[in-house]
Amino acid sequence: MKQFIALAGAMLAAAPAFAEDWDFMLTNGSGKPIKTIELAPAGTTEFKPQTVDPETRRDPIIKVGAKTTVRFDKAEKQCRYDLKATFEDGTSLVWTSANICENSYVTLKLAGGKPTITAN
């Protein structure tokens, strides 16, 4: 019996952290049309392409001022993400440390040419 309990405990400890489906509303306030959005846990470079809601976005380009729902798999206990936008002209910018757990609405902006996030 002790061996079974030890084995069960070892299996639980080795279980991967599960991701959960998550989404937020993104507004493009960057001044440039966005071609793709990628997310990475804050401070990493592990960017993964994200999907936008096909029901609200027939055009894959997120035009200036447009809103879209971004869906992704949120890692357990991970709330801060860096967002990378690749624009229609092929350039990219990264907005850092957006708190996705506390904010359902995120606006990507440029202030003096630097990426800034407004969230609520």
Side-chain angles (χ1 to χ4, degrees), residues 23-43:
D23 62 27
F24 63 93
M25 181 66 67
L26 177 82
T27 301
N28 179 4
S30 70
K32 296 168 72 171
I34 297 174
K35 186 175 172 182
T36 60
I37 291 289
E38 297 176 82
L39 271 66

Side-chain angles (χ1 to χ4, degrees), residues 1-91:
M1 183 68 166
K2 287 181 183 179
Q3 289 175 334
F4 175 76
I5 293 171
L7 179 61
M11 289 175 63
L12 286 174
F18 293 103
E20 50 184 303
D21 291 337
W22 208 261
D23 62 27
F24 63 93
M25 181 66 67
L26 177 82
T27 301
N28 179 4
S30 70
K32 296 168 72 171
I34 297 174
K35 186 175 172 182
T36 60
I37 291 289
E38 297 176 82
L39 271 66
T44 72
T45 57
E46 300 169 7
F47 285 99
K48 294 182 181 172
Q50 303 309 309
T51 58
V52 295
D53 188 351
E55 292 178 15
T56 61
R57 303 280 334 144
R58 295 197 189 343
D59 183 355
I61 302 298
I62 306 167
K63 295 184 180 7
V64 176
K67 296 178 182 181
T68 191
T69 302
V70 176
R71 295 205 162 102
F72 68 105
D73 291 330
K74 184 178 95 50
E76 185 178 351
K77 298 182 182 179
Q78 178 70 41
C79 286
R80 295 211 173 262
Y81 285 84
D82 294 343
L83 287 80
K84 179 180 179 182
T86 301
F87 301 105
E88 200 169 38
D89 65 7
T91 62

